[in-house]
Amino acid sequence: QATVAAARPVRTAQTPPASLRECLVDSFKTHRLRHAQARRRCRKSFSIDAVHRLRVASRRLIACIDLLRAFASPPVRKKDRRAVKKQLDASDALRDAQVQLHAAGGMLAAYPESKGFYRYLQHRQRQLTRVTVESLRRSELAKRLSALERALDAMPGTAETDREDRI
């Protein structure tokens, strides 16, 4: 199982990335692994924190893909960005329901008449969790991002292809 630390090439302060593209590719690998970790965590438990972390990781990955499209455009397609955005959108309603449920839970003691609304929000959260679970299960995002990483590694000017050229 890959970790974020394993995804980063070992560099010291004396050896910065050779190019902007190499720096962006390294950043993509890091964000892809963080996103995968957040996704696994979210699939185990759809807690407020897990959904929040997945959404943050998705946004950061989208930003990284946007930068890659500007500087390393051939292998990076709109489909790659759309796949991440689709997953982000799938968790929108669940996150909203979780935040509302948390806020409503804080008001129960002061406003006992809000108990019906609180129960409705609990039911809504369960429904949206099922929908989000299905969305994560059906997603081919991991395969798409792995393919993108392989394509970026195969590009001339990245560390992996430079090392292969020297051998």
Side-chain angles (χ1 to χ4, degrees), residues 24 27-28 31 60-69:
L24 290 173
S27 179
F28 171 77
H31 287 296
R60 288 180 178 165
L61 187 58
I62 288 171
C64 190
I65 289 172
D66 288 343
L67 285 170
L68 278 169
R69 285 188 64 214

Side-chain angles (χ1 to χ4, degrees), residues 100-101 103-124 126:
Q100 290 170 358
L101 185 63
M107 296 188 305
L108 278 176
Y111 304 102
E113 63 273 8
S114 67
K115 194 169 188 172
F117 180 62
Y118 184 78
R119 284 190 188 133
Y120 164 76
L121 288 175
Q122 285 177 319
H123 174 70
R124 182 82 176 127
R126 283 191 297 273

Side-chain angles (χ1 to χ4, degrees), residues 56-153:
V56 168
S58 296
R59 284 195 182 98
R60 288 180 178 165
L61 187 58
I62 288 171
C64 190
I65 289 172
D66 288 343
L67 285 170
L68 278 169
R69 285 188 64 214
F71 293 101
S73 57
V76 185
R77 301 179 315 256
K78 284 184 181 181
K79 287 181 179 182
D80 301 322
R81 184 188 193 283
R82 255 185 274 144
V84 179
K85 180 71 171 132
K86 186 176 178 181
Q87 180 190 311
L88 179 64
D89 292 344
S91 63
D92 283 348
L94 175 60
R95 175 73 177 149
D96 291 345
Q98 287 176 331
V99 169
Q100 290 170 358
L101 185 63
H102 182 72
M107 296 188 305
L108 278 176
Y111 304 102
E113 63 273 8
S114 67
K115 194 169 188 172
F117 180 62
Y118 184 78
R119 284 190 188 133
Y120 164 76
L121 288 175
Q122 285 177 319
H123 174 70
R124 182 82 176 127
Q125 181 185 5
R126 283 191 297 273
Q127 285 178 326
L128 292 170
T129 299
R130 281 193 293 271
V131 169
T132 307
V133 165
E134 266 311 301
S135 173
L136 287 177
R137 188 176 297 138
R138 284 183 282 128
S139 174
E140 293 184 11
L141 181 60
K143 290 178 188 175
R144 183 176 298 281
L145 293 176
S146 293
L148 176 57
E149 185 174 336
R150 285 191 303 276
L152 289 169
D153 284 342

